[in-house]
Amino acid sequence: MLDHPDIGSLPMGARLTQGGAEFRVWAPQRRLVEVELLDSGAPPFAMEPEATGTWFVRLPVGAGTRYRYRLDGGASFPDPYSRFQPLGVHGPSELVDVDQLHWLTRDWRGLSPEGLAIYECHVGTATEAGTLDALIGRLEYLRELGVNAIELMPLAEAPGRWGWGYDGVQLFAVSHNYGGPLALARFVDAAHGAGLGVILDVVYNHLGPEGNYLGQFSAYYFTDRYRTPWGDALNYDGPGSPWTRKLVVDNARQWLRDFRVDGLRLDATAQIHDASPRHILGELTTAARSSVPAGRSVVLIAENSANDYRYVEPAGNGGWGFDLVWADDFHHELRRFLAGDAEGWFQDYEGTLEELARTINQGFLYEGQWSTFGGGPRGAPARSQPARCFQYCIQNHDQVGNRAVGDRLSESVDLDRYRVASALFLLLPYTPLLFMGQEFAASSPFQFFSDFGPELAESVTQGRQAEFAGYSAFTRLDLPDPQDEATFLRSKLDFAEAQHAPGVGMLTLYRALLHLRATDEVLSLQDRGQLDASAPTSSLLLVSLGGGRLLVANFGPEAELELEQGEVLFQSNAREYGGDGRPATFTGGRAKLPAHTAILVAAP
């Protein structure tokens, strides 16, 4: 019953069939499970126990029916496999006919890990309305920007009117705040029509603290043998763990198969604990790829700070079969160099261009060295992995939103050096992740916001204060209250900033860089075979990209270096980008580079 061998293909939740719907839920320790049909006036319908520990019933109902499961004649709860929670985490589940979703873009072939440029987005703050339908209106803008995939922060139903999404409790239900499952289908279809793939951020390491009713159906979904920073870990290797494994595998399949999402980004995979012979991550990536039709490809991304190459090794070769893994060293080193951050995880970085060059050459900086912040050795060499396997960024939701006031890099450094950093980031062969708004140096912060009920609200506010109490700048900061609606509203993007200075120049720069990255005969190959970065001075970084392409990033005053004249393919201080327009000059085998400027040169 707990570890039944025949559960892999067992359909769970409520699914429409000819003439009605079938309901199935796993509740092995319950004596009686009933289906309550809301607004029907009918008494609860008893479900039949099955050998697997599941309960089953077939009822003559259709799409739009709202229901709950009543346990042992007592309280009633939403379906763990609910597709829609129209009234939120505490409300009833609603039947959705995913087989009848309408798709206009039928010839879409998915995403490839080669040539990716990803735009990370929070649905609730990307538009004034904060919905998936409203976000459709931004797709043409993103296509013109030059990215080819949009990564949505988690959509699973979570408590309250707003939040980041990492406290989701109904994994299969698209948040009613964003428009629900039909809105997601409309968004994915429209994105494909615009030539953009859709990657969904999913959380398989924990469930949120409010509205988490999974344990009402079975205590075996969780384990106290491991702990995460957010509470009990999901049970992937103890008694009953096949059902937890099935839950997340079924969830991944739903997004890729039913909603035609093109990829998944797995949150905080270091907190997915599994001592099984076959790790759940390897099982999940294999199942995810097999869930889509032949000829359609998906992209799988792991967030992990351990610099572990196993993530991108094939599942059949001792690895876990991901296409990309987050490589935070580049961000941390560059942020310390530019802005001087030295606390928390930044204490592991010198903040020098010499160390940044080593990071670029290796992919990871930490390849087994001792980490002061981590309290142990971190990482392993991954120099043989293709450049596309390393996801680089200069901003993301964590590195902005987990700052005390959610300030962006463009608020911490002058825009000239921000342009240089942007050029370095986008011209390297590694896979770039942009965070919404960085392309026009948005002035709006991205702060941590939540909308928990009164029982949790005060502890969340106090927890945020405690988190930053040890930082030297804390006493000078007016820390935003996560539970205050104003914190959420402050985090909304104002795309009007992209239409006037300095946003319009920065947006022009980002468009030029992404176009160059995609079309240049050398850069588009993402080849790290001839990649060679060096730092001849404390403010000058040289990156040979192969094929005669040389990137020179000057973060300091005017500089001279030995460099034969070639074609300047890009210069970050051009007037159309908001710079002063001073050109780089070449004389007698030497080049003079203006202050705070990056150039890309093609050898003669």
Side-chain angles (χ1 to χ4, degrees):
M1 183 178 292
L2 294 183
D3 302 322
H4 200 283
D6 301 322
I7 66 171
S9 60
L10 193 66
M12 301 296 292
R15 294 181 176 271
L16 291 166
T17 60
Q18 188 172 3
E22 295 179 347
F23 298 80
R24 179 176 281 111
V25 63
W26 186 56
Q29 295 158 301
R30 293 295 184 173
R31 302 183 308 276
L32 174 66
V33 181
E34 300 165 290
V35 178
E36 289 183 344
L37 299 180
L38 277 70
D39 304 323
S40 70
F45 293 88
M47 304 179 75
E48 294 292 328
E50 299 179 305
T52 54
T54 52
W55 299 75
F56 176 83
V57 70
R58 184 180 290 108
L59 298 174
V61 295
T65 299
R66 295 185 180 182
Y67 67 99
R68 287 191 180 103
Y69 292 125
R70 186 182 183 195
L71 304 179
D72 290 339
S76 300
F77 302 96
D79 187 349
Y81 275 72
S82 170
R83 298 293 188 101
F84 189 29
Q85 293 293 122
L87 302 180
V89 298
H90 304 296
S93 304
E94 182 173 307
L95 266 168
V96 176
D97 189 357
V98 296
D99 294 328
Q100 297 302 312
L101 297 177
H102 298 289
W103 302 99
L104 299 177
T105 307
R106 299 182 180 275
D107 57 350
W108 181 255
R109 308 311 297 169
L111 280 179
S112 166
E114 288 81 13
L116 271 181
I118 305 171
Y119 189 90
E120 186 186 22
C121 180
H122 178 269
V123 174
T125 56
T127 66
E128 185 62 32
T131 64
L132 287 159
D133 284 324
L135 193 57
I136 289 175
R138 292 290 175 207
L139 293 175
E140 184 62 22
Y141 165 89
L142 293 177
R143 188 191 66 80
E144 292 177 355
L145 175 61
V147 297
N148 50 24
I150 180 169
E151 181 180 305
L152 302 176
M153 288 172 64
L155 303 182
E157 190 68 47
R161 295 161 292 176
W162 48 74
W164 280 16
Y166 297 95
D167 288 309
V169 290
Q170 274 116 12
L171 299 185
F172 294 81
V174 180
S175 173
H176 75 287
N177 293 320
Y178 299 152
L182 299 184
L184 176 59
R186 289 190 294 269
F187 178 81
V188 172
D189 198 34
H192 292 170
L196 296 169
V198 179
I199 298 169
L200 182 58
D201 199 340
V202 292
V203 183
Y204 296 147
N205 48 56
H206 79 291
L207 267 66
E210 181 182 335
N212 176 8
Y213 298 119
L214 201 58
Q216 297 292 334
F217 294 89
S218 174
Y220 293 104
Y221 279 120
F222 299 96
T223 178
D224 59 5
R225 291 179 297 110
Y226 308 108
R227 295 288 294 177
T228 76
W230 316 283
D232 285 345
L234 286 164
N235 171 30
Y236 290 115
D237 60 6
S241 60
W243 290 94
T244 312
R245 299 170 79 94
K246 174 177 173 59
L247 182 83
V248 300
V249 168
D250 285 351
N251 185 251
R253 283 175 169 155
Q254 169 190 263
W255 302 124
L256 299 169
R257 179 190 61 216
D258 299 340
F259 290 96
R260 303 192 183 185
V261 165
D262 302 292
L264 301 174
R265 178 263 189 193
L266 271 65
D267 176 67
T269 55
Q271 300 300 330
I272 296 176
H273 301 286
D274 184 10
S276 303
R278 187 185 189 194
H279 199 285
I280 181 60
L281 293 176
E283 179 179 345
L284 193 146
T285 58
T286 301
R289 298 190 195 284
S290 67
S291 67
V292 299
R296 187 177 142 219
S297 57
V298 297
V299 170
L300 302 174
I301 306 170
E303 183 207 1
N304 188 280
S305 60
N307 293 3
D308 190 341
Y309 70 91
R310 289 179 300 170
Y311 280 87
V312 292
E313 284 287 313
N317 192 32
W320 293 330
F322 287 90
D323 296 294
L324 293 87
V325 64
W326 277 32
D328 288 337
D329 289 343
F330 175 78
H331 169 274
H332 296 348
E333 190 70 59
L334 184 61
R335 175 90 203 191
R336 178 155 189 181
F337 170 74
L338 290 173
D341 299 58
E343 296 178 299
W345 49 74
F346 294 109
Q347 65 188 282
D348 280 340
Y349 300 87
E350 296 175 358
T352 65
L353 288 186
E354 181 182 7
E355 197 165 80
L356 183 63
R358 191 156 69 250
T359 304
I360 292 169
N361 289 333
Q362 297 174 178
F364 297 137
L365 174 63
Y366 275 81
E367 299 182 317
Q369 307 98 299
W370 183 269
S371 162
T372 301
F373 180 73
R378 172 173 168 247
R383 303 183 192 188
S384 63
Q385 297 292 345
R388 62 166 177 77
C389 293
F390 300 81
Q391 186 163 289
Y392 272 25
C393 74
I394 58 172
Q395 295 185 71
N396 61 43
H397 77 270
D398 274 331
Q399 302 305 335
V400 177
N402 282 330
R403 297 178 62 76
V405 295
D407 53 311
R408 296 168 177 268
L409 179 63
S410 52
E411 294 291 304
S412 302
V413 303
D414 62 81
L415 291 183
D416 286 336
R417 291 198 300 157
Y418 182 70
R419 281 187 284 267
V420 177
S422 298
L424 173 64
F425 159 59
L426 286 174
L427 295 178
L428 291 175
Y430 302 111
T431 299
L433 173 79
L434 285 69
F435 182 60
M436 61 177 198
Q438 79 172 68
E439 74 279 7
F440 59 88
S443 65
S444 55
F446 185 72
Q447 298 177 334
F448 178 70
F449 46 82
S450 59
D451 187 35
F452 291 111
E455 292 183 0
L456 287 169
E458 184 62 25
S459 63
V460 170
T461 299
Q462 292 176 356
R464 189 70 172 171
Q465 292 172 343
E467 181 179 354
F468 290 97
Y471 286 76
S472 59
F474 178 77
T475 56
R476 303 194 302 273
L477 299 174
D478 183 14
L479 192 68
D481 183 353
Q483 290 288 118
D484 187 345
E485 181 179 3
T487 304
F488 167 64
L489 295 177
R490 271 193 301 271
S491 300
K492 282 186 176 284
L493 280 181
D494 179 8
F495 279 90
E497 292 184 334
Q499 300 172 14
H500 54 76
V504 63
M506 198 66 69
L507 178 60
T508 303
L509 175 136
Y510 267 77
R511 285 174 173 170
L513 286 167
L514 285 163
H515 177 76
L516 187 60
R517 177 186 181 88
T519 59
D520 182 83
E521 60 182 4
V522 175
L523 301 182
S524 61
L525 297 176
Q526 289 185 272
D527 182 14
R528 65 183 297 205
Q530 299 180 60
L531 183 65
D532 185 20
S534 61
T537 73
S538 61
S539 59
L540 197 63
L541 184 70
L542 308 181
V543 186
S544 176
L545 298 164
R549 301 293 187 267
L550 178 68
L551 172 63
V552 184
N554 180 18
F555 289 96
E558 182 179 84
E560 287 193 27
L561 69 156
E562 292 185 9
L563 181 62
E564 293 291 338
Q565 183 166 2
E567 181 184 2
V568 178
L569 303 177
F570 172 86
Q571 185 158 330
S572 67
N573 68 332
R575 292 190 184 280
E576 61 263 37
Y577 306 146
D580 58 19
R582 291 180 58 203
T585 57
F586 299 84
T587 306
R590 295 188 64 79
K592 182 178 291 186
L593 205 63
H596 304 152
T597 300
I599 63 172
L600 179 68
V601 180

